[in-house]
Amino acid sequence: MNGTRTYFLILALIAFRFLSLGVQFSDVDFVWRRETTTYNNAIATNPTTIHEEHGIQEKTTAKSDGTIGPHVMASSMKTVADNTENIFTELNDTEKINNNSTISKKEDLLLAGRRRVFLCGCPVDDRMQTVFPEFDQVEIKNFRKKYKTTSNDILFYGMYGKCHGGGKKRLGIDWMAQNFPGKVIYFNWEAHGGDLWDQGTPPPRAYHLGYVRNTNQSVQVTCLAQVLLGKLSTVREQLFVRERKPKNLNESFLIYTASNCVPFREEAAAQLSAINTIHYGGRCKGSNATDALEQKATPYQAGSWVDNIELYRHYRFCLVMENEFHWRAGYITEKIALAFAAGCVPLYFGWEGIFEIFNPRSFIFYDIHNPKPAFEKVAYLEANQSAYHEMLAEPILKDGNHTINRWFSLSDDVGDGSLKKKIRKTLMLDSSFESRI
């Protein structure tokens, strides 16, 4: 009797030990239990690649249903634990995955065999999840050679942020070409950083999303398209649906908000103040201010983009010029969208491709090289309210759904999703990146 009890006690201890290792009995073999079904599916689909890559021993045994399947041996658990320390040796508590949950070294095996988008110099956000839904987002501050990356991974390199190597030095395009085996997407809101693509000489596996024209290694995605998918998604319908076009409160003449006092914007503000009193918000007040040029601080609050929309609602015109004098094709920021969302008439200067996106009769292009036509148009509209309201009634987009599809469809629920599809096709995500795991 005592021997029987001892026997069952030993069996219980063995079972407890197996369960503590994450192993459970399943038919006639052992199955390694994971907290994610994705990893289990990955093992079932392509076990050899995953197991051999991470040093996991496997055997193939007959299941009770007559099928053959790979399963992790219990004796391999130590190997798994050892490799867990080696896969992402440089990850630390500041690095994040998807919903801002911190990655720990003990969890990195969860990513084994998964597609990953490493975000270096840019934060985790919904834009990446929208365009790359099958990828895990991993936010990092420093990229090291020791990362166990594969050709299935993507590095999203924010050229306006900080993406460093082992020290404080920013990683260059050549370094990435030599040390990252997957595709590298260089991303920039501003109008710089795309010279190699402009010249037609980008490195292999290097892609650009931003102002650069469409090529086999770049997709032209304006800053405006990106913010309308992200921070300004709440005003997208007001811009895209004619019946939802906002109207301003018609209280004051013109607002000029800027903290970067670019000379041509300062000069335009000074010129326009000859028509009526302009209000400024922010550090910039317009140049050459005299008693004849009426300029004063706005009585309303300026601040974030959303704050500025509320501010702009009090004005008939909004001076929203880009900050680049030598603007580049494809460079369009949020500025004109803020004006449209507030219901004022935008006075815009920047890339002339703006006429391909927005209805030319819904805004005024303030050409700094020849400002007289724009100045006279503003003066006329300020003196003729009926003509002004006719302009306000114009649709915002040049060509409705066609414009949305061509310039803004970064998501399946924006137009027909064709811009998202173009990015994925350029990156060959739906062909050469077929699921292998």
Side-chain angles (χ1 to χ4, degrees):
M1 188 67 176
N2 290 337
T4 302
R5 290 179 179 176
T6 302
Y7 175 78
F8 281 109
L9 178 60
I10 292 172
L11 285 180
L13 290 173
I14 292 173
F16 178 80
R17 177 58 177 165
F18 273 91
L19 290 174
S20 67
L21 289 171
V23 179
Q24 65 182 21
F25 289 105
S26 176
D27 297 331
V28 296
D29 50 30
F30 299 125
V31 178
W32 181 33
R33 184 177 58 185
R34 300 298 302 173
E35 292 299 324
T36 172
T37 58
T38 304
Y39 188 74
N40 282 330
N41 293 335
I43 294 175
T45 306
N46 194 348
T48 303
T49 300
I50 297 173
H51 293 167
E52 290 180 355
E53 182 177 11
H54 301 293
I56 303 173
Q57 302 173 16
E58 68 169 344
K59 69 173 183 178
T60 301
T61 57
K63 292 184 177 181
S64 58
D65 61 1
T67 60
I68 302 296
H71 301 283
V72 179
M73 294 289 289
S75 60
S76 301
M77 289 301 104
K78 184 179 187 302
T79 307
V80 173
D82 291 342
N83 283 346
T84 303
E85 298 295 333
N86 296 328
I87 295 175
F88 279 75
T89 55
E90 299 298 329
L91 285 176
N92 56 53
D93 290 339
T94 66
E95 291 150 357
K96 304 179 184 296
I97 175 172
N98 281 352
N99 299 322
N100 292 326
S101 58
T102 303
I103 298 175
S104 69
K105 292 180 180 180
K106 297 298 183 181
E107 295 171 322
D108 55 21
L109 192 58
L110 176 64
L111 300 176
R114 299 284 298 273
R115 297 177 180 181
R116 294 160 294 182
V117 174
F118 292 93
L119 306 175
C120 196
C122 53
V124 169
D125 64 21
D126 292 338
R127 291 173 299 169
M128 299 304 103
Q129 195 64 33
T130 297
V131 180
F132 309 114
E134 73 274 38
F135 286 77
D136 284 319
Q137 298 181 51
V138 182
E139 182 180 353
I140 57 178
K141 293 183 178 179
N142 295 283
F143 194 88
R144 311 292 182 91
K145 294 181 182 180
K146 292 182 179 180
Y147 285 140
K148 192 172 181 65
T149 54
T150 73
S151 59
N152 271 354
D153 294 325
I154 291 176
L155 178 68
F156 211 77
Y157 188 109
M159 303 184 79
Y160 58 88
K162 295 180 179 180
C163 184
H164 296 151
K168 296 182 178 181
K169 184 177 180 181
R170 282 179 59 90
L171 298 177
I173 292 177
D174 291 339
W175 189 97
M176 282 297 179
Q178 296 172 11
N179 293 282
F180 188 79
K183 291 177 168 63
V184 183
I185 301 174
Y186 293 89
F187 158 75
N188 196 356
W189 282 8
E190 299 298 335
H192 58 78
D195 292 343
L196 293 178
W197 289 265
D198 282 336
Q199 298 163 11
T201 58
R205 298 177 287 103
Y207 299 82
H208 192 281
L209 298 184
Y211 71 91
V212 177
R213 69 188 187 283
N214 293 325
T215 69
N216 61 351
Q217 284 185 245
S218 62
V219 179
Q220 192 174 63
V221 182
T222 65
C223 168
L224 178 56
Q226 298 168 43
V227 298
L228 286 179
L229 185 65
K231 293 182 178 180
L232 292 180
S233 59
T234 55
V235 304
R236 198 166 57 216
E237 187 175 352
Q238 298 173 15
L239 272 60
F240 292 172
V241 180
R242 182 173 182 176
E243 293 75 18
R244 295 292 306 276
K245 183 178 181 180
K247 293 183 180 180
N248 67 74
L249 299 176
N250 196 22
E251 294 176 352
S252 301
F253 170 49
L254 182 147
I255 181 66
Y256 166 50
T257 60
S259 57
N260 182 7
C261 304
V262 179
F264 65 80
R265 291 197 298 214
E266 292 284 276
E267 180 63 25
Q271 292 169 353
L272 291 163
S273 65
I275 299 173
N276 203 338
T277 302
I278 72 165
H279 290 175
Y280 58 83
R283 191 167 64 88
C284 307
K285 304 177 182 180
S287 62
N288 303 321
T290 66
D291 293 339
L293 304 176
E294 296 188 77
Q295 300 157 285
K296 62 182 182 180
T298 177
Y300 308 106
Q301 179 66 42
S304 67
W305 289 349
V306 175
D307 290 335
N308 284 350
I309 291 174
E310 294 302 316
L311 165 64
Y312 291 176
R313 293 190 197 282
H314 299 275
Y315 298 88
R316 293 183 288 277
F317 299 92
C318 299
L319 184 61
V320 286
M321 300 170 129
E322 302 292 3
N323 60 15
E324 296 280 345
F325 178 78
H326 299 291
W327 43 261
R328 307 179 79 158
Y331 180 64
I332 302 174
T333 68
E334 79 291 341
K335 296 177 179 62
I336 192 170
L338 297 180
F340 278 130
C344 62
V345 172
L347 307 185
Y348 180 82
F349 174 72
W351 178 42
E352 292 186 1
I354 196 77
F355 296 115
E356 300 177 27
I357 303 174
F358 295 111
N359 175 11
R361 297 184 299 277
S362 66
F363 71 100
I364 297 173
F365 191 82
Y366 203 96
D367 188 347
I368 63 174
H369 306 294
N370 181 24
K372 184 177 179 181
F375 180 89
E376 291 179 347
K377 180 74 170 178
V378 174
Y380 172 75
L381 293 174
E382 181 65 2
N384 296 271
Q385 285 294 294
S386 60
Y388 173 79
H389 286 288
E390 287 178 7
M391 174 170 271
L392 282 184
E394 287 285 341
I396 293 175
L397 300 180
K398 180 184 178 182
D399 196 13
N401 288 335
H402 177 75
T403 299
I404 295 172
N405 295 337
R406 166 65 180 86
W407 294 100
F408 300 107
S409 56
L410 281 171
S411 173
D412 292 329
D413 62 352
V414 179
D416 61 2
S418 56
L419 188 53
K420 169 186 172 179
K421 294 171 186 174
K422 185 175 183 62
I423 294 172
R424 294 181 61 85
K425 182 178 179 180
T426 300
L427 291 167
M428 298 179 287
L429 293 183
D430 298 319
S431 55
S432 64
F433 267 50
E434 291 176 355
S435 179
R436 306 183 320 178
I437 59 176

